Amino acid sequence: MAVRKSAKTPAKTTSKKPKPDTGWISELDCYLFGAGTHYDIYQKLGAHPMNWKGEDGIFFAVWAPHAAAVHLVGDFNGWNPDANPMKKISQLGIWEYFNPGMRVGELYKFAITTDTGKILYKADPFAFSAEYRPGTASVTADISGFAWSDHEWIAARSHTDMAKRPISIYEVHLGSWRKKDREEKDGCYTYIEAAHELAAYVREMGYTHVELMGIAEHPYDGSWGYQVTGYFAPTSRYGTPKEFMYFVNYLHKNGIGVILDWVPAHFPKDAHGLADFDGHPLYEYEDPKKGEHPDWGTRVFDYGKNEVKDFLISNALYWVEQYHVDGLRVDAVASMLYLDYGRQEGQWTPNRYGGNQNLEAIEFFKHLNTVVQGRNHGVMMIAEESTAWPGVTKHPQQDGLGFTFKWNMGWMHDFLEYMKLDPYFRKYSHNRMTFSLTYFTSENYILVLSHDEVVHLKCSMINKMPGLGEDKFSNLKAGYTFMLGHPGKKLLFMGQDFGQWHEWDEKKALDWYLADKDSHRSLQKYVRDLLHLYKKYPCLYSLDHDWNGFQWINANDGDRSIFSFIRRDETGKKSLLFVINFTPVPRPDYRVGVPKKCKYTLLLDQEHGAYKASQCPTYTSAKGECDGQPYSIAYPLGAYGTAIFRF
C-alpha cells in the first residue's frame, strides 16, 4: 500500500452524538440490520466524526463477517495494516473502532485479513466521501450542519401527485456538459459552478427537472458512473458532499427538481470495491450463475440477503433524505428481474419454480419502493425497464413493483426507427408511430431520448435525421412536436435541444458554439417553445395514462405520413389539437377534422415557433364530416409542417 499525503482540514470536527459506553453499534442496530430493516444504517456503519469521552475523533464500523481480522489504515498510521485493530462486536460480523484525533478530510481504508491470511485493502462501502481518481481511498467527511433553504420546495413536493404534474427532464453528465479552461480536474465544473449555469439554462429552456448521470463515486470515467464503488459518496470529480448539497438546494430554490441515476443492479470488480469484500462473496450472490454479469464483467447484488437489501434501501433513502433529491432513476431493472438476462443456456440458475424471474429482486423492488415513497411522499422512483414486465408502476398491493414511472423504451425504439427513415418510405412504417398509443395507459410512462441513443456509432439525434441541411432540422422539429403531444412525461439528453452534431463523448464538452448558428439556434428556440407550452397546458400532462386525455383525429393517414390528435385535461375545456406532417411535401389545401364548432387558435407551428398571444392566427371550423368528425378546419400545412391549436 503506497503512502498518500493527507488531505486534512485545519478545523476540528463538529461534535456529534456522544458514543455511549455500551458501544456505538447497539444490539438493536445489529438486529435491524440483520433483518434488512435498518433504513438508516449508514448513520452507524462507515466513518462518523464525534466526541467520545472528551476526545474528538472518528468512529468507524464495517460489516465483514468472513474476516479473520480488520484493521483501520490511513495516512495517520502510515498505512500500517497491523497498527489499528478493529473489534468484532456482533455475530453478524460488524467490526468497530474509535480513532481519537482523526479529523475530517483524511484518507483511510479497511485492511481486511481473510480466512486464508490474505490482506485486502478495501474502501469503506458506507464512506460519505472518496479520494479523487485515480486514488481509491475513502475520505472522512462530516455531512451534518448544511443550511438547507428549500423547505417550501420539499413541503410542496410532499403534497404533489407527480403523475398529474408536468415533468420534462434534462439528462446531464456534469463532466461533459460544459468545461472550464483549466487543467485542474480535467476542467470539469464544480457542483457550485454547475448549479448556477445549469439552473439558468434549465429555467430558460423550460425543463422541470435535471437527471444527473454518474454522481455516486466510480473509478472509471468511461463507465459514465454506472460501475459504482462509493454508493454513499458524491463523486469528488466535482467537489465535496456539502457542495453537492449546495447544488441540489440551489436548483430547488430555482424551481428545478433533481433526479439521480442509481445503480442497484451490479458493481465492478475493482480491488478496492465491494467484490469479494472480506475474501468471500458478501454483497454479491455466491452462485456465479447469479452473481456475475457475463456481458458486463460485473458482480450482481444478492437481493436475498437482508444486509445487502438494507445497504441498498438505506442508500436510496440516503440520497433522498440527506441530499433532498427528488427521484432516483433505477438503472438496468430488467437485468435484475430476469435470471437469464444476458446469459446463454446453462449460464443461469432457474428459480424454485423453474422460471427465469428473480423472485428475490421482485420482492426487493416492492420493499424498496414502498419504504422510499412511504417515507418521502412526492419522491419519484423511475424504472429503466426495457421489457414488457407487467405492473412496473402498479402498487405492490396490486402485485406491482411500485415504481412511480417507467421509461418507455418501446416508444423510443419505434420513434427513432421511424424518424431515421427517408420520408418517402415512412408510409410503410406508419404503425411505428401509432403502436405505442395502444398501450400508453398500461403504465405511467416517461418518453425518453437518453444518452444511450447518441453513443457507440448510433449518431447524434440531429444526424439520425434523413436529408441534408435544413431537412434534418425540420425532421427533428416535427419529431419533438410528436413527442410533446404523445402521452407521457418527457426526457431529452443534453445537446439534443440545439442539434449537437457529434455523438456524445464523456471526455469532451458539448459544442455550445453551435447554439449561435442560425439552424441550431432556431431548433433550440423551437424546443424551448415546446417545453414552455407543455408546462402551460394541463392537457399535456394531467391525464398521461388515461384515454380521456387523448383522442386520435386521424391515425391512418399513412400515405401522406400525417398525424392528427387531440390532448384534453380533466375538465375537457382546454384542449389542444396537433397536426404533424412527416414529409417534405406541403399540403396547402390540408383539412383536418375537429369535434366542435368554435375558433381554433394556432399557438405554434414549425415556421414561427410559438406565436405571441396577440398574434395567434385563428381558424373557424366549418360544418361537414372530415376524419370522422362533424366539423373541420382548413390550414396550409407546410413541408414537415407542425401545428398546435388551442380550442
Side-chain angles (χ1 to χ4, degrees):
M1 172 61 68
V3 177
R4 297 177 175 84
K5 292 184 178 179
S6 176
K8 296 182 182 180
T9 56
K12 290 186 177 182
T13 57
T14 304
S15 295
K16 295 177 68 178
K17 301 174 184 177
K19 183 175 183 291
D21 289 340
T22 55
W24 174 241
I25 307 294
S26 69
E27 289 186 7
L28 180 59
D29 291 326
C30 294
Y31 172 80
L32 294 175
F33 182 51
T37 56
H38 198 320
Y39 303 129
D40 302 313
I41 190 61
Y42 62 84
Q43 295 181 355
K44 291 300 183 78
L45 297 182
H48 300 277
M50 65 177 59
N51 183 279
W52 158 287
K53 297 183 178 178
E55 288 190 277
D56 286 332
I58 309 289
F59 185 87
F60 295 88
V62 64
W63 178 51
H66 303 107
V70 181
H71 291 73
L72 183 69
V73 295
D75 286 338
F76 64 92
N77 65 6
W79 301 90
N80 182 348
D82 299 317
N84 295 76
M86 300 181 72
K87 179 182 178 182
K88 189 174 183 179
I89 55 100
S90 79
Q91 294 298 318
L92 286 176
I94 294 177
W95 303 72
E96 67 177 18
Y97 181 77
F98 179 73
N99 197 24
M102 195 171 184
R103 299 187 177 189
V104 166
E106 295 198 49
L107 307 181
Y108 72 98
K109 283 186 176 181
F110 298 119
I112 298 176
T113 303
T114 71
D115 54 7
T116 63
K118 183 179 180 180
I119 297 179
L120 307 176
Y121 292 89
K122 292 289 188 177
D124 182 356
F126 289 86
F128 294 151
S129 184
E131 187 180 13
Y132 181 65
R133 59 152 174 78
T136 59
S138 300
V139 181
T140 54
D142 185 358
I143 64 169
S144 66
F146 181 79
W148 290 97
S149 57
D150 61 348
H151 314 297
E152 291 183 8
W153 172 275
I154 299 298
R157 186 184 73 186
S158 68
H159 296 96
T160 299
D161 180 357
M162 298 307 296
K164 295 183 178 297
R165 296 297 300 163
I167 298 177
S168 53
I169 302 167
Y170 185 55
E171 187 187 25
V172 177
H173 178 264
L174 281 184
S176 56
W177 182 66
R178 292 185 188 270
K179 285 186 180 289
K180 293 281 187 178
D181 185 17
R182 62 189 178 205
E183 293 184 4
E184 183 184 1
K185 292 190 174 181
D186 299 326
C188 292
Y189 272 45
T190 66
Y191 290 121
I192 292 175
E193 290 168 340
H196 291 261
E197 293 198 27
L198 187 58
Y201 183 77
V202 168
R203 287 189 67 181
E204 179 188 4
M205 289 298 295
Y207 296 101
T208 64
H209 292 73
V210 297
E211 179 179 319
L212 300 178
M213 299 168 58
I215 293 302
E217 192 60 81
H218 52 284
Y220 177 49
D221 290 1
S223 77
W224 309 335
Y226 295 115
Q227 294 196 13
V228 178
T229 51
Y231 273 82
F232 289 82
T235 178
S236 56
R237 287 166 175 80
Y238 318 125
T240 67
K242 288 187 177 177
E243 287 171 340
F244 182 58
M245 291 178 182
Y246 178 95
F247 176 95
V248 176
N249 189 66
Y250 188 85
L251 264 65
H252 284 174
K253 295 291 286 183
N254 281 270
I256 302 163
V258 179
I259 301 166
L260 298 188
D261 280 2
W262 189 59
V263 192
H266 63 133
F267 54 88
K269 299 178 182 178
D270 294 66
H272 68 287
L274 297 178
D276 296 316
F277 186 76
D278 56 4
H280 292 265
L282 182 63
Y283 287 88
E284 65 268 51
Y285 283 111
E286 187 170 0
D287 179 357
K289 291 183 178 181
K290 294 177 72 175
E292 295 263 359
H293 266 309
D295 289 347
W296 299 340
T298 54
R299 297 288 179 86
V300 181
F301 282 105
D302 184 345
Y303 310 109
K305 191 177 292 182
N306 286 340
E307 295 88 348
V308 173
K309 289 186 288 185
D310 207 46
F311 171 81
L312 290 170
I313 294 173
S314 68
N315 183 245
L317 289 167
Y318 168 79
W319 291 110
V320 170
E321 296 176 357
Q322 296 297 323
Y323 289 91
H324 292 202
V325 302
D326 302 285
L328 298 174
R329 197 276 294 182
V330 183
D331 182 65
V333 167
S335 74
M336 299 169 64
L337 293 173
Y338 296 97
L339 293 166
D340 58 349
Y341 185 92
R343 299 174 174 90
Q344 303 300 318
E345 186 175 353
Q347 292 182 334
W348 60 282
T349 302
N351 64 32
R352 62 178 178 270
Y353 303 113
N356 67 341
Q357 301 89 358
N358 188 331
L359 305 178
E360 294 159 343
I362 295 168
E363 192 60 35
F364 165 74
F365 280 132
K366 294 178 179 181
H367 189 175
L368 166 76
N369 290 322
T370 300
V371 172
V372 172
Q373 295 175 89
R375 282 178 41 156
N376 302 276
H377 299 292
V379 165
M380 297 176 285
M381 296 296 289
I382 303 167
E384 185 216 10
E385 202 286 308
S386 55
T387 74
W389 188 279
V392 172
T393 58
K394 286 186 178 180
H395 195 278
Q397 290 181 342
Q398 300 173 303
D399 202 28
L401 297 182
F403 284 95
T404 319
F405 296 109
K406 171 181 172 174
W407 274 20
N408 195 335
M409 310 294 279
W411 170 87
M412 176 272 296
H413 180 268
D414 288 342
F415 174 82
L416 291 179
E417 289 302 306
Y418 180 88
M419 293 304 301
K420 288 187 288 188
L421 290 172
D422 183 291
Y424 178 81
F425 296 104
R426 284 175 175 166
K427 59 186 175 184
Y428 303 114
S429 295
H430 195 73
N431 66 316
R432 285 191 180 276
M433 296 291 266
T434 60
F435 178 62
S436 57
L437 275 308
T438 67
Y439 64 81
F440 77 92
T441 60
S442 62
E443 302 278 7
N444 293 340
Y445 283 115
I446 298 177
L447 309 183
V448 294
L449 296 174
S450 74
H451 66 277
D452 274 330
E453 311 319 315
V454 292
V455 292
H456 300 323
L457 303 179
K458 293 181 181 179
C459 293
S460 66
M461 199 58 63
I462 189 70
N463 264 331
K464 293 180 192 294
M465 301 300 109
L468 300 172
E470 286 302 315
D471 277 358
K472 287 184 174 292
F473 291 91
S474 297
N475 266 287
L476 196 49
K477 288 178 181 178
Y480 285 159
T481 308
F482 186 88
M483 180 183 184
L484 178 90
H486 191 295
K489 312 309 180 186
K490 324 297 177 187
L491 180 146
L492 288 179
F493 182 57
M494 63 184 194
Q496 294 175 356
D497 51 15
F498 66 78
Q500 168 88 7
W501 284 118
H502 296 294
E503 287 183 333
W504 172 57
D505 183 344
E506 80 279 352
K507 298 182 292 295
K508 300 177 181 178
L510 297 179
D511 294 329
W512 285 100
Y513 70 89
L514 291 175
D516 294 327
K517 297 183 179 295
D518 289 344
S519 297
H520 297 269
R521 183 168 59 247
S522 174
L523 174 62
Q524 187 182 45
K525 178 184 178 301
Y526 189 82
V527 173
R528 181 170 68 241
D529 290 344
L530 289 176
L531 292 172
H532 283 283
L533 193 73
Y534 172 67
K535 291 198 295 185
K536 183 176 180 180
Y537 287 93
C539 64
L540 294 175
Y541 57 79
S542 62
L543 294 176
D544 268 331
H545 59 289
D546 189 326
W547 270 109
N548 291 319
F550 179 87
Q551 177 189 347
W552 279 115
I553 295 297
N554 193 336
N556 301 311
D557 195 355
D559 286 343
R560 297 188 296 179
S561 297
I562 297 174
F563 300 84
S564 53
F565 55 87
I566 288 172
R567 293 298 307 274
R568 291 191 172 90
D569 64 10
E570 291 167 314
T571 68
K573 295 179 180 179
K574 293 183 178 180
S575 301
L576 296 181
L577 167 68
F578 284 72
V579 182
I580 307 169
N581 177 12
F582 280 103
T583 72
V585 180
R587 307 289 178 179
D589 58 346
Y590 183 75
R591 184 171 289 275
V592 60
V594 291
K596 291 184 177 182
K597 182 180 181 180
C598 61
K599 288 185 177 180
Y600 290 75
T601 302
L602 182 60
L603 301 178
L604 174 146
D605 62 26
Q606 193 234 17
E607 182 179 355
H608 299 91
Y611 287 90
K612 293 182 179 179
S614 61
Q615 299 175 350
C616 293
T618 59
Y619 298 81
T620 301
S621 58
K623 189 171 183 179
E625 192 277 336
C626 180
D627 294 328
Q629 301 297 316
Y631 301 93
S632 66
I633 58 172
Y635 171 73
L637 187 63
Y640 300 115
T642 62
I644 302 177
F645 299 89
R646 182 187 70 231
F647 70 98

PDB file of all heavy atoms in Angstrom, residues 31-43:
ATOM      1  N   TYR A  31     -29.732  -6.162  15.167  1.00  0.00           N
ATOM      2  CA  TYR A  31     -30.943  -6.911  14.870  1.00  0.00           C
ATOM      3  C   TYR A  31     -31.625  -6.370  13.608  1.00  0.00           C
ATOM      4  O   TYR A  31     -32.001  -7.133  12.706  1.00  0.00           O
ATOM      5  CB  TYR A  31     -31.913  -6.851  16.061  1.00  0.00           C
ATOM      6  CG  TYR A  31     -33.270  -7.438  15.745  1.00  0.00           C
ATOM      7  CD1 TYR A  31     -33.465  -8.809  15.757  1.00  0.00           C
ATOM      8  CD2 TYR A  31     -34.344  -6.605  15.415  1.00  0.00           C
ATOM      9  CE1 TYR A  31     -34.704  -9.357  15.447  1.00  0.00           C
ATOM     10  CE2 TYR A  31     -35.586  -7.137  15.102  1.00  0.00           C
ATOM     11  CZ  TYR A  31     -35.765  -8.513  15.113  1.00  0.00           C
ATOM     12  OH  TYR A  31     -36.984  -9.050  14.803  1.00  0.00           O
ATOM     13  N   LEU A  32     -31.787  -5.059  13.540  1.00  0.00           N
ATOM     14  CA  LEU A  32     -32.466  -4.451  12.393  1.00  0.00           C
ATOM     15  C   LEU A  32     -31.671  -4.635  11.111  1.00  0.00           C
ATOM     16  O   LEU A  32     -32.234  -4.900  10.042  1.00  0.00           O
ATOM     17  CB  LEU A  32     -32.716  -2.968  12.657  1.00  0.00           C
ATOM     18  CG  LEU A  32     -33.702  -2.628  13.778  1.00  0.00           C
ATOM     19  CD1 LEU A  32     -33.755  -1.125  14.018  1.00  0.00           C
ATOM     20  CD2 LEU A  32     -35.099  -3.166  13.458  1.00  0.00           C
ATOM     21  N   PHE A  33     -30.360  -4.508  11.202  1.00  0.00           N
ATOM     22  CA  PHE A  33     -29.514  -4.702  10.028  1.00  0.00           C
ATOM     23  C   PHE A  33     -29.634  -6.142   9.530  1.00  0.00           C
ATOM     24  O   PHE A  33     -29.778  -6.392   8.322  1.00  0.00           O
ATOM     25  CB  PHE A  33     -28.069  -4.358  10.375  1.00  0.00           C
ATOM     26  CG  PHE A  33     -27.102  -4.476   9.240  1.00  0.00           C
ATOM     27  CD1 PHE A  33     -27.340  -3.869   8.012  1.00  0.00           C
ATOM     28  CD2 PHE A  33     -25.919  -5.191   9.391  1.00  0.00           C
ATOM     29  CE1 PHE A  33     -26.430  -3.980   6.960  1.00  0.00           C
ATOM     30  CE2 PHE A  33     -25.003  -5.305   8.353  1.00  0.00           C
ATOM     31  CZ  PHE A  33     -25.271  -4.704   7.141  1.00  0.00           C
ATOM     32  N   GLY A  34     -29.612  -7.078  10.454  1.00  0.00           N
ATOM     33  CA  GLY A  34     -29.751  -8.482  10.078  1.00  0.00           C
ATOM     34  C   GLY A  34     -31.115  -8.819   9.531  1.00  0.00           C
ATOM     35  O   GLY A  34     -31.268  -9.772   8.762  1.00  0.00           O
ATOM     36  N   ALA A  35     -32.123  -8.026   9.919  1.00  0.00           N
ATOM     37  CA  ALA A  35     -33.481  -8.241   9.409  1.00  0.00           C
ATOM     38  C   ALA A  35     -33.738  -7.493   8.108  1.00  0.00           C
ATOM     39  O   ALA A  35     -34.791  -7.661   7.486  1.00  0.00           O
ATOM     40  CB  ALA A  35     -34.500  -7.787  10.468  1.00  0.00           C
ATOM     41  N   GLY A  36     -32.794  -6.642   7.700  1.00  0.00           N
ATOM     42  CA  GLY A  36     -32.965  -5.872   6.479  1.00  0.00           C
ATOM     43  C   GLY A  36     -33.885  -4.685   6.627  1.00  0.00           C
ATOM     44  O   GLY A  36     -34.425  -4.177   5.639  1.00  0.00           O
ATOM     45  N   THR A  37     -34.051  -4.185   7.852  1.00  0.00           N
ATOM     46  CA  THR A  37     -34.984  -3.079   8.092  1.00  0.00           C
ATOM     47  C   THR A  37     -34.339  -1.915   8.846  1.00  0.00           C
ATOM     48  O   THR A  37     -35.047  -1.080   9.412  1.00  0.00           O
ATOM     49  CB  THR A  37     -36.210  -3.574   8.889  1.00  0.00           C
ATOM     50  OG1 THR A  37     -35.769  -4.198  10.108  1.00  0.00           O
ATOM     51  CG2 THR A  37     -37.021  -4.566   8.073  1.00  0.00           C
ATOM     52  N   HIS A  38     -33.017  -1.839   8.844  1.00  0.00           N
ATOM     53  CA  HIS A  38     -32.334  -0.694   9.457  1.00  0.00           C
ATOM     54  C   HIS A  38     -32.113   0.331   8.346  1.00  0.00           C
ATOM     55  O   HIS A  38     -31.046   0.417   7.749  1.00  0.00           O
ATOM     56  CB  HIS A  38     -31.005  -1.109  10.072  1.00  0.00           C
ATOM     57  CG  HIS A  38     -30.468  -0.113  11.063  1.00  0.00           C
ATOM     58  ND1 HIS A  38     -30.536   1.254  10.877  1.00  0.00           N
ATOM     59  CD2 HIS A  38     -29.849  -0.282  12.266  1.00  0.00           C
ATOM     60  CE1 HIS A  38     -29.994   1.877  11.890  1.00  0.00           C
ATOM     61  NE2 HIS A  38     -29.573   0.965  12.764  1.00  0.00           N
ATOM     62  N   TYR A  39     -33.140   1.147   8.105  1.00  0.00           N
ATOM     63  CA  TYR A  39     -33.121   2.011   6.941  1.00  0.00           C
ATOM     64  C   TYR A  39     -32.165   3.196   7.076  1.00  0.00           C
ATOM     65  O   TYR A  39     -31.900   3.888   6.100  1.00  0.00           O
ATOM     66  CB  TYR A  39     -34.544   2.502   6.646  1.00  0.00           C
ATOM     67  CG  TYR A  39     -35.529   1.372   6.441  1.00  0.00           C
ATOM     68  CD1 TYR A  39     -36.742   1.334   7.127  1.00  0.00           C
ATOM     69  CD2 TYR A  39     -35.234   0.317   5.573  1.00  0.00           C
ATOM     70  CE1 TYR A  39     -37.637   0.292   6.946  1.00  0.00           C
ATOM     71  CE2 TYR A  39     -36.118  -0.739   5.393  1.00  0.00           C
ATOM     72  CZ  TYR A  39     -37.328  -0.745   6.085  1.00  0.00           C
ATOM     73  OH  TYR A  39     -38.206  -1.783   5.908  1.00  0.00           O
ATOM     74  N   ASP A  40     -31.642   3.406   8.280  1.00  0.00           N
ATOM     75  CA  ASP A  40     -30.652   4.461   8.500  1.00  0.00           C
ATOM     76  C   ASP A  40     -29.305   3.870   8.902  1.00  0.00           C
ATOM     77  O   ASP A  40     -28.535   4.492   9.621  1.00  0.00           O
ATOM     78  CB  ASP A  40     -31.143   5.425   9.595  1.00  0.00           C
ATOM     79  CG  ASP A  40     -32.481   6.055   9.261  1.00  0.00           C
ATOM     80  OD1 ASP A  40     -32.626   6.530   8.123  1.00  0.00           O
ATOM     81  OD2 ASP A  40     -33.379   6.050  10.116  1.00  0.00           O
ATOM     82  N   ILE A  41     -29.000   2.687   8.413  1.00  0.00           N
ATOM     83  CA  ILE A  41     -27.776   2.001   8.827  1.00  0.00           C
ATOM     84  C   ILE A  41     -26.529   2.794   8.458  1.00  0.00           C
ATOM     85  O   ILE A  41     -25.483   2.671   9.103  1.00  0.00           O
ATOM     86  CB  ILE A  41     -27.716   0.572   8.225  1.00  0.00           C
ATOM     87  CG1 ILE A  41     -26.571  -0.241   8.844  1.00  0.00           C
ATOM     88  CG2 ILE A  41     -27.615   0.618   6.719  1.00  0.00           C
ATOM     89  CD1 ILE A  41     -26.683  -0.445  10.336  1.00  0.00           C
ATOM     90  N   TYR A  42     -26.625   3.669   7.449  1.00  0.00           N
ATOM     91  CA  TYR A  42     -25.471   4.490   7.074  1.00  0.00           C
ATOM     92  C   TYR A  42     -25.082   5.467   8.180  1.00  0.00           C
ATOM     93  O   TYR A  42     -23.982   6.027   8.158  1.00  0.00           O
ATOM     94  CB  TYR A  42     -25.760   5.262   5.777  1.00  0.00           C
ATOM     95  CG  TYR A  42     -26.913   6.235   5.870  1.00  0.00           C
ATOM     96  CD1 TYR A  42     -26.740   7.521   6.367  1.00  0.00           C
ATOM     97  CD2 TYR A  42     -28.186   5.867   5.440  1.00  0.00           C
ATOM     98  CE1 TYR A  42     -27.788   8.410   6.450  1.00  0.00           C
ATOM     99  CE2 TYR A  42     -29.243   6.751   5.515  1.00  0.00           C
ATOM    100  CZ  TYR A  42     -29.046   8.025   6.022  1.00  0.00           C
ATOM    101  OH  TYR A  42     -30.108   8.904   6.103  1.00  0.00           O
ATOM    102  N   GLN A  43     -25.976   5.680   9.140  1.00  0.00           N
ATOM    103  CA  GLN A  43     -25.643   6.547  10.266  1.00  0.00           C
ATOM    104  C   GLN A  43     -24.839   5.806  11.331  1.00  0.00           C
ATOM    105  O   GLN A  43     -24.350   6.425  12.285  1.00  0.00           O
ATOM    106  CB  GLN A  43     -26.929   7.120  10.883  1.00  0.00           C
ATOM    107  CG  GLN A  43     -27.686   8.042   9.946  1.00  0.00           C
ATOM    108  CD  GLN A  43     -28.935   8.621  10.577  1.00  0.00           C
ATOM    109  OE1 GLN A  43     -29.314   8.266  11.701  1.00  0.00           O
ATOM    110  NE2 GLN A  43     -29.600   9.521   9.869  1.00  0.00           N
TER     111      GLN A  43
END
